[in-house]
Amino acid sequence: MEEMDIINILENLVDEEFKKFKWHLKNEKVDDIEPIHVHVLSRAEREEVVDLMVQKYQLSGAVGVMTNVLKKISRNDLVTKISKMESGPAAGPCRVPPGVPACRNTAEDKLKTVRSQFIDRVSVPVVYKLLDHLLDGGMINEGEMEVIGGTGNRADKARAVIDTVRRKGPAASSVLISALREVDPCLSKELNLM
């Protein structure tokens, strides 16, 4: 299974089921790996939840966790679908031969792709709102917020936000994408981050 397969499974959940899925997910501990923090999950959309699960549990662990949670919310039809996908033939655009790097579409990759456009288009008020969301989500600390806020002009602030977040990994990248969707849906749509 690939990340897109997991996203496709989650697309089958109606909003109320997805809320329950996230509620159960905050309690899923695998071996010594702690669950995903509730404040990170609270605003996360389906793609971001997948990024968070893969970052936390790796791909195979994420599939196992998703299966457990789907059982808890009585979506055994999707559990069956996962089983068939895992045992079925390899197919799809992201399947690659051994030794060739797998294609990815993580939140980090999405931000890397739109970095220049983000820097060119984001406004200062939106940058400050994004910083607030990142601070609230525990993705940056107050010192980082002050440094970025005190950075030169608009483009420098935007550059500092996106580069700081990308360096922090998929969870921070997912929070930034989610925050941008909320704060500036027009820009988010222009950057294909919806």
Side-chain angles (χ1 to χ4, degrees), residues 59-74:
L59 187 59
S60 60
V63 173
V65 166
M66 184 171 70
T67 301
N68 291 342
V69 175
L70 288 171
K71 287 177 184 174
K72 290 176 183 175
I73 65 170
S74 301

Side-chain angles (χ1 to χ4, degrees), residues 57-183:
Y57 308 113
Q58 302 302 315
L59 187 59
S60 60
V63 173
V65 166
M66 184 171 70
T67 301
N68 291 342
V69 175
L70 288 171
K71 287 177 184 174
K72 290 176 183 175
I73 65 170
S74 301
R75 286 303 306 262
N76 294 327
D77 58 317
L78 297 178
V79 173
T80 303
K81 193 172 182 178
I82 291 169
S83 294
K84 287 179 182 175
M85 291 171 85
E86 287 190 301
S87 62
C94 242
R95 305 285 181 187
V96 292
V100 176
C103 58
R104 299 174 56 195
N105 198 15
T106 64
E108 289 169 283
D109 296 329
K110 290 176 188 175
L111 288 182
K112 185 176 183 181
T113 304
V114 301
R115 182 180 179 274
S116 297
Q117 294 172 297
F118 177 85
I119 292 167
D120 290 343
R121 297 181 184 180
V122 72
S123 68
V124 172
V126 168
V127 167
Y128 285 119
K129 288 178 184 176
L130 293 173
L131 288 172
D132 289 336
H133 280 271
L134 291 165
L135 182 66
D136 292 345
M139 298 297 123
I140 62 171
N141 59 41
E142 290 185 22
E144 290 169 315
M145 185 173 178
E146 288 176 19
V147 168
I148 294 169
T151 304
N153 60 25
R154 182 203 54 77
D156 290 337
K157 288 180 193 330
R159 188 175 293 109
V161 167
I162 198 164
D163 290 344
T164 299
V165 168
R166 281 183 47 235
R167 281 192 297 269
K168 288 181 178 273
S173 298
S174 292
V175 170
L176 177 60
I177 290 170
S178 179
L180 184 61
R181 287 177 183 156
E182 183 179 323
V183 171

